[in-house]
Amino acid sequence: MMKASATLTIGRKTMIGTLLGAVSLGMIGSTAHAVSVPDHIRVALFLDLSSKYQALTPAVTLSSAGGMKLTWNGAAIATVNAGKSVRFAVDGYRAIILETDDLAAATSVLKTVQRSTNAALLIRLSKNGKTVYQVTEGNYANAAAAAAAVAKWTNAGVAAGVKSLSAPVVAGPWAVEAGPYANEAAAAAAVASFGALGLDAFVSQKLTGSTPSYYVRIGQASDASALAELKNKAASVGVPILIPDASAAYVVLRNDLTASGTPDAAVPLYALSASAKLLAAPVNAGNGILVTERSKRTYRGNMELSVLNGDLALVNDVPLEQYLYSVVGSEVPGSWPLETQKAQAVAARSYAVFSGTGFQIADVVDTTLSQTYNGIGAENANSVAGVNATAGEVLTYEGKVIDAVFSSNAGGVTADNATEIWGSSTPYLASAAQSPDAGPQEGKLEWYKVALSDGEIGYVRSDYLVYSGAKNEAGIPLYASTGDGVSVRPSPQTAGAGANPIAKLYKNDQVVVLDKVLEYTNYNWVETFTADQLANSINKRAKSKIGSLQTLEVSQRGLSGRVSEIKANGVPVDVGVPDNLRGALGSLKSTLFDIEETGRFSVVGANGAQKNFPTEGSASSLQIQGASGAAVTAGSSNLFVLNGDGELRAATTDPEFVITGKGFGHGLGMSQWGAKGLADQGYDYQSILQYYYKNVKIEKDGGE
């Protein structure tokens, strides 16, 4: 770990020389119009990339204050009125848990199922001359998986005691069809006729050539074997019934009561086949489209609905510069200097252009897996100004747009990709550089790490303790509380997971001070783990499992001081690339850290023999001899020992680990807090970018 004194502050004179050296290597685009920057970008929402491209939501609800147009293959299929919602899902395999004519009962079952999953729907349809309600769950890959779900919900008794019109069953995408019909009204009238026979029937649309036409889709069968019987029964209506080509694209229109729960407040639900693709566009572009399931955020541009790997896919097709309004506003505070906004805009634009179609059907995603994009609500005047002032500008290296990665806070020094993060040699991400990242500490007080009278260890803000003038029996100074109800916290912070008090101090209560530390921020932080917590976390990510964790130590560091290898119980832990250590060690903020092993210490006995803890392969314990000569066995509570220099240290008989570190994120490329620090010192965005990305040029879109 690099010393704080080397990274906390960087003087203006020192930085000037460093920046001039960086700028001289790559001045602003001397080759005009050398690159091409696209006008639009495709942003995938809801994608889970842990194993394959999978959606995180089974249904999407869209609306727009000015109304929307739905199109398929460029042809209009529906108009959604201002402020009204429309939903989309996949016409796949589902569990029909309940079919009843009792709406209240159906709503109750729906709510029960929703406690366990977000894949439950309440659909209204007409059968046998009455209105009925189906509670369905899931979008499953096949009929067998849906059948297992039917059994699960049946065994759980979620619909027990409810009047049901049919037994729980698997619903699937197999159906017969009638049509085409002249319009939606004609198709809806035909639906009523088929429903009177007790059949599940819905208005649908499919392409005739390149034009959408209205049909009626009859049945929700789980396989093709049911189609002949469905066809014969539906034919009694007196119209031709066809078994459609299974590969033909279609959408089914259902009446969705999931959100409203009232009979006359149904929301149109378009269930898409595997090859269907719809586009929702706001009538007034200035209104944007609200996505209910994405925290009710509103987005510029259009929304494309399709099916990817059997799941619903939602892609926001938006002008690149307008996308950046939100990215910059999401990534850095609007109160930060304009030059920081500009630097972020160019970095984000470069990253987006470099990505290409990196996500199969999209260029980027809306999370930090790419860069944060929270829609129109994240925009602010400064983010818009920063994007507009740098319109079309990207960073290039040897004529190609770079992968301009960035992180929140480099902890005072940027990372080296080859030795510390992802293990690749990227020239413009190779050199570690000092970074003025200490901004999160501004205005923050220091904290005391203290030991309470019962042996508990915690943190107290420094303005709540004063030296009492007294010492304990071991000659250790005692500090006293200056007020009543002073919180002792497990971490030096007043907000967050580590902020809940573990004890309270009252005026003149005395404690022993073990250390004085900075407040927990994205620049400086501390985390404490038990051996079991870290062992479980490591075993989820390491290629070889570890047993009981006794020791954990840093065994290798890279150029910036970031940890590139750790050893558990003396054996290197293989988690792949070094940056994966963050996740393997309980989701640390960065890999710029030190490990303190509180259970690791040596004791010299009265006979001069040295004993090392933890003692591997032995159950021997630590015996402590008191002033009376009696020996006691140290328990599981904290120990407080003096080292050879007379410094007091907290130790534990069981292995525990205190990890202290700096920074937030991988630390490659531009540090956002560092960019702010440079802008505060008067540097422009070009100098900031060319400091963090080595030997690059800033070039303008060749299309302008």
Side-chain angles (χ1 to χ4, degrees):
M1 184 90 177
M2 297 192 67
K3 292 183 181 295
S5 59
T7 59
L8 276 172
T9 58
I10 300 175
R12 182 177 174 84
K13 291 183 180 179
T14 302
M15 187 62 74
I16 286 176
T18 309
L19 283 174
L20 288 177
V23 172
S24 66
L25 295 174
M27 297 302 292
I28 297 172
S30 56
T31 305
H33 310 309
V35 295
S36 177
V37 177
D39 293 331
H40 280 243
I41 189 168
R42 292 171 58 81
V43 188
L45 282 64
F46 300 110
L47 283 189
D48 171 16
L49 307 175
S50 58
S51 56
K52 67 174 186 176
Y53 298 99
Q54 295 177 310
L56 295 173
T57 182
V60 167
T61 309
L62 306 181
S63 62
S64 180
M68 294 184 298
K69 294 286 186 182
L70 301 185
T71 60
W72 187 4
N73 199 38
I77 64 170
T79 298
V80 183
N81 292 333
K84 297 297 183 180
S85 297
V86 62
R87 305 195 78 201
F88 302 88
V90 176
D91 190 35
Y93 295 96
R94 307 170 306 286
I96 297 182
I97 300 170
L98 173 68
E99 181 173 295
T100 181
D101 57 3
D102 185 342
L103 177 58
T107 301
S108 177
V109 172
L110 173 74
K111 291 179 178 178
T112 299
V113 176
Q114 285 177 325
R115 295 190 190 108
S116 302
T117 175
N118 65 348
L121 294 175
L122 176 57
I123 302 298
R124 184 191 72 198
L125 63 162
S126 177
K127 293 176 71 173
N128 297 314
K130 65 172 68 174
T131 299
V132 300
Y133 307 94
Q134 292 180 347
V135 178
T136 73
E137 186 275 326
N139 171 43
Y140 292 97
N142 50 54
V150 169
K152 178 187 76 172
W153 295 114
T154 301
N155 292 336
V158 295
V162 177
K163 172 191 172 185
S164 180
L165 301 177
S166 65
V169 68
V170 172
W174 298 89
V176 297
E177 69 180 22
Y181 293 90
N183 49 49
E184 184 176 355
V191 164
S193 299
F194 293 113
L197 299 175
L199 297 170
D200 292 358
F202 306 94
V203 173
S204 70
Q205 294 188 62
K206 68 177 189 177
L207 296 176
T208 303
S210 59
T211 304
S213 299
Y214 284 100
Y215 288 78
V216 173
R217 199 162 177 89
I218 307 153
Q220 302 182 89
S222 59
D223 58 60
S225 65
L227 298 185
E229 182 180 350
L230 272 173
K231 180 179 178 182
N232 290 335
K233 189 170 184 179
S236 63
V237 171
V239 298
I241 305 297
L242 301 175
I243 297 178
D245 180 354
S247 65
Y250 65 87
V251 294
V252 179
L253 181 59
R254 299 191 174 111
N255 294 307
D256 187 341
L257 299 179
T258 307
S260 69
T262 56
D264 52 356
V267 173
L269 172 70
Y270 287 85
L272 283 66
S273 71
S275 54
K277 184 183 296 184
L278 302 183
L279 187 72
V283 173
N284 182 347
N287 293 130
I289 295 178
L290 185 149
V291 183
T292 298
E293 291 77 10
R294 208 53 159 174
S295 302
K296 295 185 177 180
R297 294 174 185 148
T298 300
Y299 299 86
R300 296 178 183 269
N302 302 328
M303 291 291 177
E304 178 187 278
L305 293 304
S306 65
V307 178
L308 177 64
N309 294 330
D311 285 318
L312 183 67
L314 178 67
V315 174
N316 182 202
D317 188 312
V318 59
L320 176 60
E321 300 301 310
Q322 295 180 11
Y323 159 77
L324 293 172
Y325 292 163
S326 176
V327 169
V328 175
S330 299
E331 287 285 354
V332 297
S335 59
W336 283 11
L338 181 58
E339 295 306 305
T340 308
Q341 312 286 333
K342 293 177 184 178
Q344 181 65 65
V346 176
R349 187 182 294 110
S350 303
Y351 179 90
V353 172
F354 176 88
S355 297
T357 51
F359 293 91
Q360 192 169 334
I361 59 170
D363 306 304
V364 293
V365 295
D366 63 329
T367 68
T368 53
L369 288 170
S370 292
Q371 44 195 3
T372 308
Y373 171 58
N374 290 333
I376 293 174
E379 299 175 9
N380 58 72
N382 251 3
S383 71
V384 172
V387 172
N388 289 344
T390 62
E393 291 182 9
V394 290
L395 295 163
T396 65
Y397 179 81
E398 294 184 346
K400 296 181 180 179
V401 178
I402 73 167
D403 184 10
V405 295
F406 49 86
S407 65
S408 174
N409 192 300
V413 59
T414 60
D416 175 74
N417 195 19
T419 63
E420 297 177 318
I421 306 302
W422 299 317
S424 59
S425 181
T426 312
Y428 50 83
L429 299 176
S431 300
Q434 289 184 321
S435 182
D437 293 312
Q441 298 296 150
E442 292 179 3
K444 301 289 195 304
L445 293 174
E446 292 182 301
W447 289 62
Y448 287 118
K449 183 178 182 180
V450 303
L452 305 180
S453 59
D454 62 358
E456 188 80 13
I457 293 176
Y459 295 85
V460 177
R461 215 171 67 184
S462 59
D463 56 335
Y464 291 124
L465 290 178
V466 295
Y467 175 46
S468 68
K471 296 182 179 181
N472 66 9
E473 292 83 349
I476 306 300
L478 297 173
Y479 282 67
S481 171
T482 59
D484 287 329
V486 173
S487 294
V488 182
R489 304 178 190 272
S491 179
Q493 57 183 317
T494 57
N500 292 331
I502 59 174
K504 293 284 186 179
L505 296 178
Y506 294 90
K507 194 163 185 176
N508 297 323
D509 282 352
Q510 294 182 330
V511 297
V512 170
V513 170
L514 303 172
D515 198 4
K516 197 172 188 179
V517 301
L518 296 175
E519 183 165 322
Y520 186 112
T521 67
N522 285 343
Y523 175 68
N524 192 90
W525 46 268
V526 58
E527 304 286 359
T528 302
F529 300 97
T530 66
D532 286 345
Q533 286 174 326
L534 282 184
N536 291 336
S537 184
I538 290 171
N539 284 334
K540 288 178 182 178
R541 296 163 178 84
K543 296 181 180 179
S544 297
K545 306 301 182 185
I546 63 171
S548 175
L549 184 61
Q550 297 297 313
T551 65
L552 185 71
E553 59 191 318
V554 173
S555 49
Q556 288 184 21
R557 295 185 186 272
L559 292 179
S560 74
R562 282 171 169 78
V563 176
S564 56
E565 182 189 85
I566 59 171
K567 288 183 178 179
N569 301 333
V571 178
V573 177
D574 186 358
V575 294
V577 298
D579 192 56
N580 290 345
L581 288 171
R582 287 195 286 161
L585 296 177
S587 298
L588 297 180
K589 286 181 176 291
S590 81
T591 55
L592 191 59
F593 62 79
D594 281 321
I595 301 174
E596 178 189 353
E597 302 175 86
T598 62
R600 194 172 190 178
F601 51 92
S602 299
V603 177
V604 179
N607 59 0
Q610 180 171 305
K611 185 174 182 179
N612 298 319
F613 290 83
T615 306
E616 295 184 17
S618 171
S620 63
S621 61
L622 177 63
Q623 300 289 314
I624 302 174
Q625 184 171 329
S628 65
V632 296
T633 300
S636 59
S637 61
N638 293 304
L639 304 172
F640 301 97
V641 297
L642 290 172
N643 63 18
D645 297 324
E647 297 170 333
L648 187 65
R649 178 195 166 196
T652 54
T653 53
D654 294 325
E656 289 189 5
F657 306 90
V658 179
I659 302 180
T660 57
K662 287 183 177 293
F664 184 24
H666 50 64
L668 281 178
M670 186 179 74
S671 163
Q672 292 167 324
W673 273 99
K676 178 187 183 297
L678 293 178
D680 286 341
Q681 296 180 51
Y683 297 103
D684 60 26
Y685 76 98
Q686 295 101 330
S687 298
I688 293 170
L689 290 167
Q690 290 171 323
Y691 179 65
Y692 283 111
Y693 303 101
K694 306 303 178 182
N695 303 330
V696 299
K697 293 180 179 179
I698 302 173
E699 299 195 60
K700 192 81 168 177
D701 176 21
E704 292 195 355

